[in-house]
């Protein structure tokens, strides 16, 4: 289910939550994916972050949080409701509180918020409507969340999470073979991994949440880590030839593995 620009039009917070609950109930419980898009502005981010928080609190089971406390007074409903398997696919690689949404709800003067940019090219009829004669493209900023119901690859493949995943990503996976799904021929390469070389999977990587700062001799990356923190990492030329080369090519929104 792709729900684009659905939440900002709903002013009341409880109605937004009800709308997200309805969308969640329509998902296939065996792997359905819900994608929420909003404008890449402060209010758009807050709407998406609020939906993310509710889905994690009520529906997706995570270590240390496998039940949802039902606060309704109805005696026919159990106080504690078991959550179901599920996971955030993107953009987050952590399942804890959003580090940019420490203060929930609309907040005046919120400067930092998670959003990304995508360029698209206008079709000819839109060029004519806009009366544009030179530039035929636009850069659109958006906030989004993609959540899968009923499947948790973190458990299935033993994917690193939390601070352990952050530390492994900081050290870099340059000399580590990717963790392949079952049945994939590349999976045989994982058998030779030693205990001190953690298995690699994209769901355990930090994501670059701002445009990289590319300076002479080093690149500065602002990343959202699997440990649920915003950190600034510097990749100098001396660290690794491959890492530095990739850092120079990195873009806003990329995952970072080196």
């Amino acid at each position: 289910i792709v729900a684009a620009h659905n939440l900002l039009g709903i002013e009341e917070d409880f109605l937004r939550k009800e709308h997200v609950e309805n969308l969640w109930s329509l998902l296939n419980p065996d792997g359905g994916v819900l994608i929420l898009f909003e404008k890449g502005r402060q209010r758009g981010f807050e709407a998406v972050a609020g939906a993310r928080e509710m889905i994690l609190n009520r529906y997706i089971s995570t270590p240390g949080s496998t039940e949802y406390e039902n606060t309704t007074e109805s005696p026919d409903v159990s106080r504690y409701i078991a959550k179901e398997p599920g996971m955030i696919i993107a953009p987050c690689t952590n399942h804890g509180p959003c580090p940019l949404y420490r203060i929930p709800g609309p907040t005046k003067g919120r400067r930092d918020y998670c959003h990304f940019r995508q360029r698209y090219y206008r079709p000819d009829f839109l060029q004519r409507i806009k009366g544009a004669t030179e530039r035929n493209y636009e850069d659109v900023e958006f906030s989004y969340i993609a959540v899968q119901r009923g499947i948790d690859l973190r458990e299935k493949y033993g994917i690193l999470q939390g601070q352990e995943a952050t530390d492994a990503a900081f050290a870099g996976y340059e000399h580590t073979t990717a963790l392949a799904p079952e049945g994939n021929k590349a999976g045989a390469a994982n058998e030779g991994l030693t205990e001190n070389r953690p298995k690699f999977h994209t769901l355990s990587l930090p994501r670059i949440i701002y445009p990289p700062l590319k300076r002479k001799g080093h690149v500065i990356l602002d990343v959202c880590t699997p440990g649920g923190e915003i950190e600034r990492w510097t990749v100098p030329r001396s660290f690794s030839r491959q890492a530095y080369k990739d850092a120079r090519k990195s873009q806003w929104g990329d995952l970072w593995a080196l």
Side-chain angles (χ1 to χ4, degrees), residues 42 45 99-101 109-115 209-210 230:
Q42 177 183 335
F45 161 73
L100 294 176
Y101 195 62
R110 189 190 299 272
R111 291 186 176 182
D112 297 320
Y113 50 91
C114 182
H115 65 294
I209 59 168
Y210 292 115
I230 303 298

Side-chain angles (χ1 to χ4, degrees), residues 94 99-100 102 162-171 206-210 213 219-234 256:
N94 75 83
L100 294 176
R102 301 294 191 189
Q163 188 59 42
E164 185 181 4
T166 301
D167 294 340
F170 186 79
R207 189 178 296 277
I208 303 172
I209 59 168
Y210 292 115
L213 304 175
V219 179
I220 300 173
L221 307 177
D222 293 301
V223 299
C224 182
T225 70
E229 299 292 339
I230 303 298
E231 298 182 3
R232 173 163 282 189
W233 293 2
T234 301
W256 179 251

Side-chain angles (χ1 to χ4, degrees), residues 125-185:
F125 73 88
L126 187 55
Q127 280 288 91
R128 293 195 296 270
I129 292 174
K130 287 182 170 288
T133 58
E134 296 180 358
R135 194 180 69 175
N136 67 336
Y137 64 87
E138 289 187 43
D139 293 322
V140 177
E141 295 184 354
F142 60 94
S143 292
Y144 80 104
I145 186 79
V147 189
Q148 188 165 29
R149 180 182 180 185
I151 295 177
D152 189 349
L153 297 179
R154 298 172 298 163
E155 293 183 358
K156 185 175 181 181
Y157 296 129
I159 298 171
L160 289 180
Q161 292 285 289
Q163 188 59 42
E164 185 181 4
T166 301
D167 294 340
F170 186 79
Y173 288 99
E174 184 172 350
H175 304 293
T176 303
T177 305
L179 176 61
E182 294 178 1
N184 192 319
K185 293 181 180 179

Side-chain angles (χ1 to χ4, degrees), residues 82-104:
K83 297 182 183 180
E84 59 185 309
M87 62 180 295
I88 298 176
I89 300 174
C92 317
T93 55
N94 75 83
H95 287 68
C98 175
L100 294 176
Y101 195 62
R102 301 294 191 189
I103 302 176

Side-chain angles (χ1 to χ4, degrees), residues 10 16 56 90 114 119 160 170 176 184 196-197 199-200 216 224-225 243 252:
I10 306 174
R16 286 183 184 176
L56 286 176
C114 182
R119 173 167 294 183
L160 289 180
F170 186 79
T176 303
N184 192 319
N196 61 349
R197 291 173 63 188
K199 296 179 180 179
F200 163 83
K216 184 177 181 180
C224 182
T225 70
W252 181 10

Side-chain angles (χ1 to χ4, degrees), residues 53-75:
E53 183 179 61
M54 189 203 74
I55 291 173
L56 286 176
N57 288 341
R58 297 188 184 182
Y59 297 114
I60 293 181
S61 176
T62 57
S65 179
T66 58
E67 292 182 327
Y68 165 63
E69 184 177 3
N70 183 21
T71 57
T72 61
E73 299 180 358
S74 174

